[in-house]
Amino acid sequence: MPSRVDRFLPPTPLARRLSVQSVLFAIGEGAFMTGSAVFFTHVVGLTAAQVGLGLTVAGVFAFAFAVPLGRLADRIGPKRQWAIGASATAALYVLWPFVTGFATFLAMVVVLELAQRAGWSGRGAYTLDVFPHDERVRSMAFMRAALNIGFTIGALAGGLALAFDSDAVIRAMPWVTACVLALNAWLITRLPDAAHDRADRTPVEKAVRSSALRNRGFLVLSACNGVLDTNQVLLNIVIPLWLVQETDAPRVLLAWLFGTNTVLAVLFQVPAARGVNSVDSSLRAARIAASFFVVSCLIVLVTHDTVGWTTILLVWLGHVTVTGAELFESAAHWGFLSELSDPARRGEYQGASQLGETLGGVWAPAAYTFLAMEWGTPGWLTIAGIVIVATAVMTPAARAAERYLARTTQPAAA
């Protein structure tokens, strides 16, 4: 019986601690995210356009500081930066109820986004640093599943707060999140140090390596992976809009779609990541993700002309297949970071990966929505073609990244 239970638990005590931390973090973030639209409009007093503009500006700052924040994690240590970012995030949530007007909202979201990005850069570098090679991707898969569990619990908590229909309750939501995130930050400080958190680094680790931004193969690979990651645009934007405007499916089906996605992400993220422990296996996972992505496009496009239960079944199946794309793309992403990051610059490679993925996907919400809603079948086929091309480019890009690392790390190692 214990062996059966162990199959459903993270493989090591450290992975279990990090999974618990992931649940806690996601509960705090998920609770606020669920009611954030109401908080921003009713408490802060903003319009929807102001909220969107503020979040866009914050995203621009996060993009600009992605690599510098990654380099900072390499300099001060990934766990230390993760803890500082988590603590700053918790402190900033305390201030949310005192924010009024667009100017203070803009300053708040920019600083908060930078604090969160700093924490995530440290977290990513820490997990690569602290886990042995063969445990990395599997442990990250458990942590991703834990995040989905936490966000679900947080969404339920946020929904309960909204059910009171009270501005006082909504105003207090950031303080609840701040308390949860403060506990999360404390748990981070209790984790063991990773290799780059210790001062006694070896000469190899101290050697000057070439910048991640010069690894063009890695940047191209990250951008292509960003294209694969646009499965989230299909999942959260395009398919729901298509269901409402272009099919006869009932709108209540949306709740079942997102519920199915959450359940599948919790149950199958770890199996999807199994065996992803090399560049070749990461590329294989990316091709599987692309296959699911394309199949989803082909399924959903026909629902414009179907009726009744056929439409319902096909839309649901299209959402399931795009969930498959999400699971295998995540596994491929972790595998690439594990195998193609310079061990002495893992934080910087985290930032470079964020740059590439942002460039690979920032255009997708507008482009995919236009293609699907305005062009119909040709538009869906175009989306599928974009994914196929990006996936084809990933293999030569990954090989170029491997060659670059071989050239730049061997002299230091020698």
Side-chain angles (χ1 to χ4, degrees), residues 122-146:
R123 178 185 186 268
Y126 177 84
T127 51
L128 290 177
D129 219 19
V130 79
F131 287 119
H133 176 270
D134 291 341
E135 294 178 9
R136 283 178 194 157
V137 174
R138 186 161 184 256
S139 297
M140 290 178 184
F142 274 105
M143 292 164 64
R144 174 67 174 267

Side-chain angles (χ1 to χ4, degrees), residues 196-218:
H196 287 81
D197 286 301
R198 295 190 287 269
D200 56 333
R201 301 185 191 179
T202 66
V204 171
E205 292 172 315
K206 290 182 179 179
V208 177
R209 309 291 185 96
S210 295
S211 168
L213 293 179
R214 294 185 178 182
N215 189 340
R216 294 185 180 88
F218 183 82

Side-chain angles (χ1 to χ4, degrees), residues 127-278:
T127 51
L128 290 177
D129 219 19
V130 79
F131 287 119
H133 176 270
D134 291 341
E135 294 178 9
R136 283 178 194 157
V137 174
R138 186 161 184 256
S139 297
M140 290 178 184
F142 274 105
M143 292 164 64
R144 174 67 174 267
L147 281 174
N148 278 287
I149 294 172
F151 279 123
T152 301
I153 297 172
L156 292 174
L160 181 62
L162 292 175
F164 284 96
D165 197 22
S166 167
D167 284 353
V169 174
I170 295 172
R171 184 180 292 273
M173 285 173 59
W175 291 336
V176 175
T177 294
C179 291
V180 176
L181 294 184
L183 177 58
N184 166 66
W186 179 80
L187 288 178
I188 294 170
T189 65
R190 309 303 296 172
L191 293 170
D193 286 345
H196 287 81
D197 286 301
R198 295 190 287 269
D200 56 333
R201 301 185 191 179
T202 66
V204 171
E205 292 172 315
K206 290 182 179 179
V208 177
R209 309 291 185 96
S210 295
S211 168
L213 293 179
R214 294 185 178 182
N215 189 340
R216 294 185 180 88
F218 183 82
L219 293 175
V220 172
L221 178 66
S222 297
C224 292
N225 194 72
V227 175
L228 273 187
D229 192 44
T230 58
N231 60 72
Q232 294 297 299
V233 177
L234 245 62
L235 192 77
N236 297 312
I237 300 174
V238 181
I239 291 179
L241 284 175
W242 180 265
L243 181 150
V244 171
Q245 297 185 22
E246 302 294 334
T247 77
D248 66 341
R251 295 184 180 184
V252 70
L253 179 61
L254 289 171
W256 290 99
L257 295 181
F258 289 114
T260 300
N261 171 258
T262 300
V263 171
L264 292 177
V266 171
L267 293 180
F268 294 106
Q269 182 63 82
V270 175
R274 186 174 294 127
V276 179
N277 54 13
S278 65

Side-chain angles (χ1 to χ4, degrees), residues 337-379:
L337 280 175
S338 174
E339 300 301 315
L340 297 175
S341 295
D342 185 338
R345 289 180 173 266
R346 283 185 171 135
E348 185 175 336
Y349 269 78
Q350 291 283 326
S353 174
Q354 292 172 21
L355 280 183
E357 291 188 1
T358 300
L359 291 173
V362 68
W363 47 270
Y368 285 5
T369 302
F370 173 80
L371 288 170
M373 307 306 293
E374 300 298 328
W375 286 14
T377 296

